[in-house]
Amino acid sequence: MENVTSTTVPVRKTERTSLRQSLDLLWRDKFAVAAVLFLIIVVLAALLGPYLFGQQSNRINLLTRNAAPSFAHGWAFVLGADALGRPILLRLFVGAQNTIILAVSAVILSMIVGTALGFVAGYRNDWLGNVILRVADVLMSFPSLLLALIVLYVLTPGIANVILVLAITRVPIYLRTARAEVLEVRERTFVTAADIMGASTWRLVWRHIRPAVMPTLVTIATLEIAFVMLAESSLSFLGLGIQAPQFTWGAMVAQGQSYLGTAWWVAFWPGVAITLTAMSLNLLANWVRLVSDPVQRWRLEAKEPSHD
Amino acid sequence: MNTYIVNRMVYSAISMVGLIILVFFLARLTGNPAELYLPVDATPELRAAFSQVNGLDQPVLVQFWRFLVTLLHLDFGNSLRLERPALQLVLTAFPTTLILAFSAMALALVVAIVAGALAACAPNGILDRLVNVVSLSSASLPNFWLALVSILVFAVWLKWVPTSGTGTLAHWILPIMVLFARPCGLLAQVVRGSMIDALSSAYVKTARSKGVRSRSIIFVHALRNAMLPVITVAGDQMSGMINGAVVVEVIFGFPGIGKLMMDSIQYRDFAVIQCGVIITAAAIFLMNVLIDFAYVALNPRIRFK
């Protein structure tokens, strides 16, 4: 039991750190700072892009057809133009919205469903739990991209269907993690104590087990946004993502594929945007894990300049 | 130990049955192949005849029953598109994907273990930061984009390798490299993390104080224990390779299972879809059993239970 208390106390402390302290810690990891700044830009683009540049990014102009990256046509064309002469930079800002909405909604949906099923499977370790686990196994052994392709071929690819498919393929991750954590946490003293004192099942799960399990799941979800975004762009690339006139970064790469030899920039920049966003999310998730782990946290604090 | 592996095998067998049911009904949902394989102006009689020849006029449950019976004889039916046995098509395509996936994974494991282990020796050192950034970025690369960029650079600009197709050894370089990037990045992260844990454990300190050479501490004492999570992640990545293979094979025009499945889904070639998914799942199932054995071999705590 000493073991349990000694690990939970520092975690409590971490949860109490003020915003100021977290920002201080963040500042010490320059990669994390860069990641956060980039993500802020992406989120701003996703929120405002279509309203600010929606018109401009759709204007077909044959004079700037496949224009190379340069300042000759004004700032909108710094990254060049696509086959219809539309500025790539502005299309990146506009495309950010669909890309982010798809990834984030799919992650939230799969997290809610997966966690709920995982709690049931972990808390009721009986036949129902077993059935849930086997269903997760089936989903895991089915190559997820093929599943998505078949399903999207059946249900025409609209935004809701793409989100649904991406969410279904990722449910097992949360399900298994939540189940494993619940199995472990429900045996801890504070849960058995609450149980003996007559707490209802709902109260046990919501007030006692959930807070102990959620941090792990949230960290996974951060990483999953990057993964789901990559999966969605593969789907768009294969032509089964959301359909034109709506587009995501993945679809932009697909459009540029045919001009690879003559106008590389059409396919290149959207890929850079996907990579940088995924990388920022990974960096941020790593940083969060480091900060919330008392065993690792000193590595950040140790980097503090010696003047204090 | 035996019950552990037997249990795992029983569970996997149940999953296989679930998968067979799932793939059968999902494939039927894509629509009637008669619309695709007959001309638009085909008469209703012609359509009915086509359905009857291919057994598509029966109720779905009857079709399912027939499918199960033939499946027991390892007969997956004929491809509608290519008019050859589905199993034959899948088995000719499978080796290509297997070679792609295995070479990429073997390469990824070697590079990830060496880089991750070296990075873990001095956490926060220059090498560690370098490995961290490089592995994170290669784990974040969308594989279809990496494929296009590498074609552009190495095939179009530098002309070192051909752009697509098969034939010579040079054709394999780019596809393997593209498949290698993501698993290698992820694995290097995992190796680094679990090596840092292992190196700060008591048995490593004991070995240090006994005066064991640091190279054998890293690669013998710590690495062996750090391998458990690595094997788990590598197994997951291996099944994820099928996803990568679909994209890579489509872009590079490789006649593997991924391209075959893509084409079959588009042409509602039920027999090939079912056969491909079942064979792939069986391969993943077999691999998971092997991983379980590796686990037992590496982890005495399971072995002696």
Side-chain angles (χ1 to χ4, degrees), chain B residues 114-161:
Chain B
V114 173
L118 290 178
C121 291
N124 273 330
I126 294 176
L127 187 68
D128 181 38
R129 310 213 104 206
L130 190 74
V131 168
N132 206 4
V133 170
V134 172
S135 61
L136 263 182
S137 38
S138 84
S140 311
L141 286 169
N143 46 20
F144 57 93
W145 180 76
L146 184 63
L148 291 182
V149 171
S150 60
I151 288 179
L152 184 68
V153 174
F154 298 108
V156 178
W157 288 346
L158 296 172
K159 295 195 171 37
W160 287 351
V161 283

Side-chain angles (χ1 to χ4, degrees), chain A residues 26 28-36 279-280 283-284, chain B residues 129 133:
Chain A
L26 181 68
R28 266 172 231 158
D29 189 342
K30 294 297 181 285
F31 283 119
V33 174
V36 169
M279 204 175 148
S280 304
L283 276 169
L284 190 65
Chain B
R129 310 213 104 206
V133 170

Side-chain angles (χ1 to χ4, degrees), chain B residues 10-278:
Chain B
V10 170
Y11 285 155
S12 306
I14 299 175
S15 308
M16 275 297 276
V17 175
L19 186 78
I20 289 171
I21 299 173
L22 182 70
V23 70
F24 180 87
F25 288 101
L26 263 182
R28 302 296 127 154
L29 282 176
T30 56
N32 191 344
E35 293 159 26
L36 268 180
Y37 286 87
L38 295 176
V40 192
D41 54 351
T43 58
E45 291 81 32
L46 201 59
R47 283 168 197 270
F50 179 86
S51 297
Q52 201 188 352
V53 168
N54 293 298
L56 295 164
D57 56 336
Q58 304 286 332
V60 181
L61 284 179
V62 175
Q63 287 187 42
F64 184 58
W65 176 249
R66 283 190 183 171
F67 167 67
L68 282 185
V69 171
T70 49
L71 192 63
L72 285 178
H73 298 95
L74 280 183
D75 177 7
F76 289 88
N78 280 324
S79 158
L80 279 176
R81 183 167 62 102
L82 300 162
E83 293 177 337
R84 277 165 57 196
L87 187 63
Q88 190 195 335
L89 283 171
V90 170
L91 289 184
T92 27
F94 215 68
T96 313
T97 308
L98 271 188
I99 297 174
L100 266 182
F102 270 109
S103 3
M105 185 47 89
L107 213 59
L109 270 174
V110 172
V111 173
I113 287 173
V114 173
L118 290 178
C121 291
N124 273 330
I126 294 176
L127 187 68
D128 181 38
R129 310 213 104 206
L130 190 74
V131 168
N132 206 4
V133 170
V134 172
S135 61
L136 263 182
S137 38
S138 84
S140 311
L141 286 169
N143 46 20
F144 57 93
W145 180 76
L146 184 63
L148 291 182
V149 171
S150 60
I151 288 179
L152 184 68
V153 174
F154 298 108
V156 178
W157 288 346
L158 296 172
K159 295 195 171 37
W160 287 351
V161 283
T163 49
S164 64
T166 45
T168 63
L169 207 58
H171 285 98
W172 290 82
I173 296 175
L174 285 188
I176 290 178
M177 281 328 213
V178 170
L179 271 183
F180 151 89
R182 205 143 111 204
C184 184
L186 285 169
L187 285 171
Q189 296 270 318
V190 177
V191 173
R192 177 182 167 273
S194 64
M195 274 300 274
I196 288 180
D197 285 349
L199 284 174
S200 55
S201 63
Y203 62 84
V204 166
K205 284 185 190 128
T206 314
R208 281 236 166 85
S209 49
K210 274 199 312 192
V212 181
R213 274 182 313 149
S214 68
R215 194 192 296 158
S216 58
I217 289 180
I218 295 168
F219 285 102
V220 179
H221 291 77
L223 194 58
R224 185 163 164 181
N225 279 287
M227 278 312 279
L228 291 175
V230 177
I231 290 178
T232 316
V233 175
D236 278 354
Q237 287 301 307
M238 198 64 197
S239 28
M241 279 264 183
I242 300 291
N243 292 341
V246 174
V247 172
V248 165
E249 285 167 12
V250 168
I251 294 179
F252 288 99
F254 250 60
I257 196 89
K259 189 158 185 336
L260 181 70
M261 295 299 286
M262 260 308 269
D263 295 343
S264 308
I265 292 173
Q266 263 159 19
Y267 287 93
R268 293 181 200 165
D269 204 344
F270 297 157
V272 182
I273 300 177
Q274 288 155 3
C275 183
V277 168
I278 291 171

Side-chain angles (χ1 to χ4, degrees), chain A residues 7-271:
Chain A
T7 50
T8 42
V9 169
V11 174
R12 278 283 167 75
K13 253 187 212 159
T14 324
E15 279 166 4
R16 277 193 207 135
T17 40
S18 62
L19 184 69
R20 176 76 203 276
Q21 265 174 308
S22 325
L23 283 177
D24 251 21
L25 273 178
L26 181 68
W27 185 245
R28 266 172 231 158
D29 189 342
K30 294 297 181 285
F31 283 119
V33 174
V36 169
L37 288 180
F38 186 78
L39 287 177
I40 290 175
I41 297 177
V42 171
V43 170
L44 281 181
L47 289 176
L48 305 173
Y51 306 106
L52 292 179
F53 310 117
Q55 291 272 310
Q56 235 181 320
S57 70
N58 257 331
R59 197 174 299 143
I60 295 170
N61 181 355
L62 292 181
L63 288 177
T64 53
R65 197 169 180 276
N66 280 344
S70 76
F71 288 97
H73 302 281
W75 69 272
F77 290 87
V78 205
L79 300 183
D82 68 3
L84 295 172
R86 298 173 295 193
I88 290 175
L89 179 64
L90 298 190
R91 287 181 72 76
L92 282 180
F93 284 139
V94 176
Q97 187 170 59
N98 280 328
T99 313
I100 300 301
I101 285 181
L102 283 172
V104 172
S105 343
V107 166
I108 292 175
L109 187 62
S110 57
M111 181 160 125
I112 292 173
V113 175
T115 310
L117 290 175
F119 267 82
V120 174
Y123 195 80
R124 301 186 39 171
N125 202 10
D126 56 358
W127 65 271
L128 185 65
N130 261 320
V131 169
I132 292 175
L133 270 186
R134 295 291 81 76
V135 172
D137 277 356
V138 174
L139 279 178
M140 293 281 269
S141 56
F142 205 111
S144 56
L145 191 60
L146 289 181
L147 180 69
L149 287 174
I150 297 180
V151 174
L152 285 177
Y153 198 79
V154 180
L155 318 160
T156 49
I159 284 198
N161 287 339
V162 173
I163 292 176
L164 195 68
V165 163
L166 290 170
I168 289 175
T169 55
R170 302 314 290 170
V171 160
I173 307 285
Y174 304 96
L175 199 160
R176 291 176 155 208
T177 319
R179 175 182 169 270
E181 295 261 314
V182 169
L183 274 180
E184 194 252 323
V185 172
R186 63 180 286 209
E187 300 302 329
R188 290 210 201 151
T189 332
F190 66 91
V191 179
T192 35
D195 192 15
I196 291 166
M197 283 161 73
S200 67
T201 306
W202 276 111
R203 193 179 163 80
L204 272 183
V205 170
W206 192 255
R207 286 300 297 270
H208 297 279
I209 299 180
R210 185 189 55 94
V213 174
M214 280 323 271
T216 319
L217 291 172
V218 170
T219 314
I220 294 179
T222 323
L223 281 172
E224 282 286 298
I225 297 178
F227 185 93
V228 169
M229 195 182 70
L230 292 175
E232 180 274 320
S233 42
S234 302
L235 278 180
S236 290
F237 178 78
L238 293 170
L240 281 166
I242 56 170
Q243 303 293 306
Q246 301 272 40
F247 62 95
T248 61
W249 291 339
M252 289 176 72
V253 178
Q255 281 169 4
Q257 192 188 4
S258 0
Y259 307 97
L260 202 59
T262 48
W264 54 266
W265 48 90
V266 183
F268 183 76
W269 295 117

